[in-house]
Amino acid sequence: MSTLWVLQTNEQGFMDDCRDFRVYGVRTPEYMGLQQLSEGHTVLLRLRLRQAKPEFGYLGPYRATSQKSLWVNEIESTQGIWRKVAIQNTKGPRWLPKFPWCVFLSPASDFINDLRALAVSHPVKACEPIRSPISDEILRNLEQMEFLPESRTNSYRTMRGVWVRSRAEYMIDNWFAEHGIVTYYEKAIYLDSCRIVPDWFIPSLGVYLEYLGLKGDPRYDQTWKFKEQAYRKHKVKFVTLDDEDLVDLDRTIPSKLPQLRAMGILK
């Protein structure tokens, strides 16, 4: 196993650009001894999460490479695997003027494009080389962050085998399954480094669906207000269902998601 590095950021926007442009930037390669990072080393990107457990989310694994990405016009100078990227006229990472020394990242064969939790008991330090057997243990214990109900008590198992929290969610999840529409239930996303748990994500439409089952409860309404504001701030596409919509899902879901018919997903 090659040497593993955990490269950390505390800002969601920095992490998003790292993922989108397959690059990680620093002010100088001497920071925390990162000049030891070499071609082919394994890299995990780590985001510090706010108001969430676990404390960190991990993205990767990547392989560190000196091969520049397509968005890069010019390399000013080099230092080991690090490349100092000239300020780009074309679109590039938002943080590039501040962190121009970059290492480029190539997704490894087992790369997953979602944040994952790390199920190990000991702390993992950032910006230090991690070698076997600890590096092997870390990569083995990265888990996708699904956040399904912790207990099956008072939960319902849908026809596709997913445990949901209420009879109403059981009806909604089964409606999508019966119509052959792929959905992800309670797949966490991160906005402004805060964990947000939508009820469903419909990947074919890029739309989130929320069932407002406890509308009117003050605590629930406050949580939904925070979630709705985050969606609107980040231009996240979403629709909502409430108890009245459950009477006829064959009518209400297509009316709220007309794209299903427009794209030929729903006959």
Side-chain angles (χ1 to χ4, degrees):
M1 171 60 65
S2 66
T3 302
L4 172 66
W5 294 78
V6 174
L7 306 181
Q8 183 168 326
T9 176
N10 298 329
E11 297 182 15
Q12 179 82 49
F14 191 104
M15 172 69 90
D16 291 343
D17 280 358
C18 289
R19 172 166 46 194
D20 293 344
F21 296 99
R22 297 183 180 180
V23 67
Y24 182 86
V26 292
R27 293 184 188 275
T28 169
E30 284 80 18
Y31 174 73
M32 299 284 286
L34 285 177
Q35 72 272 16
Q36 299 178 62
L37 184 65
S38 297
E39 188 90 27
H41 281 183
T42 302
V43 172
L44 290 175
L45 301 180
R46 183 166 78 180
L47 174 67
R48 181 182 293 276
L49 305 175
R50 293 189 298 162
Q51 301 173 338
K53 292 183 180 181
E55 182 181 5
F56 298 106
Y58 292 80
L59 184 68
Y62 294 94
R63 299 279 182 244
T65 176
S66 57
Q67 184 174 359
K68 73 177 185 180
S69 297
L70 294 176
W71 56 268
V72 177
N73 293 332
E74 182 183 351
I75 301 294
E76 287 188 347
S77 57
T78 66
Q79 185 174 328
I81 197 175
W82 294 91
R83 301 289 183 265
K84 189 174 184 181
V85 178
I87 302 302
Q88 304 296 297
N89 293 324
T90 58
K91 185 179 181 181
R94 290 162 283 185
W95 40 259
L96 187 61
K98 190 175 181 180
F99 302 105
W101 282 94
C102 296
V103 60
F104 300 110
L105 304 171
S106 176
S109 58
D110 53 348
F111 173 80
I112 296 178
N113 199 38
D114 290 306
L115 290 180
R116 287 183 272 179
L118 180 56
V120 296
S121 57
H122 52 78
V124 176
K125 294 184 177 180
C127 300
E128 292 187 6
I130 304 171
R131 298 183 173 86
S132 295
I134 296 176
S135 61
D136 302 330
E137 179 189 5
I138 290 172
L139 293 174
R140 279 197 312 268
N141 286 281
L142 286 169
E143 300 176 349
Q144 286 187 266
M145 302 170 77
E146 296 294 345
F147 293 100
L148 295 176
E150 296 179 0
S151 171
R152 294 179 179 178
T153 304
N154 298 322
S155 297
Y156 297 81
R157 192 169 190 260
T158 69
M159 60 187 295
R160 64 190 180 101
V162 173
W163 288 90
V164 297
R165 300 179 185 275
S166 68
R167 182 70 179 175
E169 291 190 343
Y170 173 84
M171 293 169 59
I172 296 167
D173 196 88
N174 280 345
W175 188 94
F176 284 109
E178 288 167 356
H179 290 83
I181 299 168
V182 175
T183 60
Y184 296 113
Y185 177 70
E186 293 200 344
K187 186 179 182 68
I189 59 175
Y190 295 85
L191 303 175
D192 294 330
S193 301
C194 291
R195 180 170 68 91
I196 305 289
V197 185
D199 290 332
W200 288 272
F201 176 59
I202 308 170
S204 57
L205 305 181
V207 173
Y208 293 89
L209 186 148
E210 298 280 4
Y211 169 61
L212 308 182
L214 296 177
K215 187 169 60 175
D217 178 274
R219 288 187 60 186
Y220 182 88
D221 289 346
Q222 184 178 9
T223 299
W224 168 241
K225 182 178 180 181
F226 169 79
K227 188 185 288 189
E228 183 181 25
Q229 289 175 342
Y231 286 163
R232 296 192 186 281
K233 175 183 177 182
H234 293 275
K235 297 180 171 59
V236 174
K237 297 178 182 178
F238 72 96
V239 297
T240 63
L241 296 174
D242 57 28
D243 287 342
E244 293 181 0
D245 295 317
L246 299 178
V247 176
D248 187 359
L249 292 177
D250 288 332
R251 178 185 61 82
T252 55
I253 292 181
S255 70
K256 298 202 175 190
L257 294 170
Q259 311 97 303
L260 292 173
R261 285 203 171 94
M263 297 175 64
I265 300 170
L266 186 66
K267 304 301 182 183

